[in-house]
Amino acid sequence: DWEPPCPVGGDNKRNLVASGEEKDGDVEAVLADCDMVLDRTYHTRAFQQAMMETFRTYTTLDRYGRLHVISSTQIVFHCRRILSRALGIPKSRIRVEKPRIGGGFGAKQTAVCEVYPAFVTLKTGRPAQLIYTREESQIAGSPRHEMEIRVRLGADRDGHIRALDVYTLSNSGAYGEHGPTTVGLSGHKSIPLYGKAEAFRFVSDVVYTNHMSSGAYRGYGATQGLFAVESAVNELADKLGMDPFELRQRNIVHEGDVMPAYYGQVNTSCALDRCLKTVHDRMDWDHKYPVREIGNGKVRAVGMGMAMQGSGIDHVDVGSATLKINDDGFYTLSIGAADMGTGCDTTLAQIAAEMLECPLENIAVLGADTDSSPYDSGSYASSTTYVTGKAVEKCALELKDKICTLGAQLLGLDKAAVLFTGDAVTSEDGTQRVPLASIA
């Protein structure tokens, strides 16, 4: 039932998970006109992640005959969707819950072990659990994609990079898990760094092989592409006899620039130029580059590379929060984001506490549960503090406004004439006061 939910350029008859091509300008024409063209191929192997807690899932049928899944996962709502499709039962018959979990790094952004105990419970009506050993996590988890990346760089003698041509071949393993999405970032997070280029081309192929299925892993495809492009740029600097910092300063993207290689988006947040200068000065680069002899036949060398990272996936990621004031004036915060040791339960509670002007202890956090949490696409892509955090902020401000409305009514005052003090609503002069617990 090979059926991608959206077109990704795949062809299962050719063992092709996905393929794509993006370009701007005439790469071949610009390369032909360059003073120097570098053509290099880099290979990155698969890397396996080793979070402290291995993969594990417990399943049972609840009192209503619904499938209750408790799992070490980053993606409760995606997990519910995957189980629904795999088991052939509606989402309404499935509850996925995430307790405290011990690390993820992206491995638990894949439904590695949930389907199997769920299948047993569905067939037998009995509870089931599956706990991976460390070895099983290593041989049946979801490692980083192995990639082979060809980079062609064209530049003039003064070190202005005029063209970038990147081709990525990604090894998806036996299944297409995260194959179409990771490969895109090998180009989207590397090529846009060099915003002065006249032309770029990014071509990618993702193939099935008889290997373990690859998945998400911190950096999500960008690490492989950045290693290749940054290595090529350093080689270019060497060929030109130019300082790698200087070469980059002449070519980098700046805030406000349009980035054709990043979906044509405007770079709204970037301090790369200042970042480079700060690193250069603090590490005393001029006295350390390229190498220093330290005696006894030993040397110390320095090198550099750049990376770009965003928080969340534009127009895709969803973060939600629900805040409730309880009878005694404390709050319950419900979130669908998954704390996997990153501390987001605390971070989001801190945001709520700051907005509601109360101690952190007054915020009770309910973690990811598809039955009770508002929808959240999951914890990944460095997104939770920015995306779900913004939802928490907006939610807290809305709740504060409702508290003030009710407080004003209880005081017999106009809403514009009251103040919220964290533990009460008062009149502007402070002479009248209704405690938060009374409003609750």
Side-chain angles (χ1 to χ4, degrees), residues 54-256:
T54 59
F55 299 97
R56 57 197 59 204
T57 301
Y58 169 79
T59 58
T60 187
L61 296 179
D62 69 12
R63 64 181 71 87
Y64 303 108
R66 297 171 72 228
L67 180 66
H68 185 190
V69 179
I70 300 172
S71 187
S72 186
T73 180
Q74 298 171 227
I75 47 161
V76 290
F77 287 96
H78 284 313
C79 193
R80 183 182 65 177
R81 171 181 58 81
I82 291 164
L83 286 169
S84 171
R85 181 172 170 81
L87 301 173
I89 59 176
K91 291 179 188 176
S92 61
R93 304 299 300 164
I94 303 171
R95 174 189 180 187
V96 180
E97 184 183 355
K98 176 210 74 75
R100 287 282 188 183
I101 70 173
F105 307 131
K108 294 169 184 174
Q109 199 179 324
T110 296
V112 169
C113 67
E114 286 86 352
V115 173
Y116 312 111
F119 183 77
V120 170
T121 292
L122 211 59
K123 288 292 184 184
T124 65
R126 302 287 298 277
Q129 72 175 15
L130 179 60
I131 297 177
Y132 278 30
T133 63
R134 178 59 62 191
E135 181 183 359
E136 287 164 344
S137 286
Q138 293 292 297
I139 66 171
S142 53
R144 177 172 283 160
H145 289 74
E146 176 188 25
M147 291 186 186
E148 185 176 276
I149 301 167
R150 182 186 179 191
V151 180
R152 292 201 297 163
L153 273 180
D156 63 22
R157 290 186 185 85
D158 296 326
H160 295 107
I161 295 173
R162 298 180 58 197
L164 289 96
D165 187 19
V166 175
Y167 170 67
T168 302
L169 178 65
S170 178
N171 179 359
S172 185
Y175 300 93
E177 187 72 58
H178 292 273
T181 43
T182 50
V183 76
L185 297 190
S186 70
H188 295 148
K189 290 284 181 76
S190 57
I191 300 171
L193 286 166
Y194 298 93
K196 302 289 187 291
E198 299 165 36
F200 87 90
R201 180 169 57 198
F202 173 44
V203 179
S204 60
D205 288 316
V206 186
V207 294
Y208 292 106
T209 61
N210 291 321
H211 287 261
M212 187 182 354
S213 179
S214 298
Y217 186 169
R218 187 77 187 123
Y220 204 79
T223 44
Q224 296 95 310
L226 286 161
F227 162 70
V229 170
E230 290 302 284
S231 295
V233 171
N234 282 331
E235 290 192 50
L236 177 65
D238 188 54
K239 293 278 186 188
L240 291 169
M242 184 177 290
D243 186 302
F245 267 98
E246 175 60 29
L247 177 63
R248 285 174 171 84
Q249 286 284 18
R250 293 186 186 189
N251 292 284
I252 56 171
V253 67
H254 290 82
E255 191 167 309

Side-chain angles (χ1 to χ4, degrees), residues 19-76:
S19 63
E21 179 176 354
E22 298 169 47
K23 59 185 178 180
D24 185 63
D26 190 334
V27 166
E28 295 298 341
V30 177
L31 286 172
D33 190 48
C34 286
D35 297 328
M36 180 171 290
V37 176
L38 216 68
D39 189 340
R40 297 286 187 270
T41 299
Y42 303 90
H43 180 216
T44 63
R45 294 190 179 276
F47 287 78
Q48 186 57 290
Q49 42 210 324
M51 54 282 162
M52 291 177 70
E53 180 191 35
T54 59
F55 299 97
R56 57 197 59 204
T57 301
Y58 169 79
T59 58
T60 187
L61 296 179
D62 69 12
R63 64 181 71 87
Y64 303 108
R66 297 171 72 228
L67 180 66
H68 185 190
V69 179
I70 300 172
S71 187
S72 186
T73 180
Q74 298 171 227
I75 47 161
V76 290

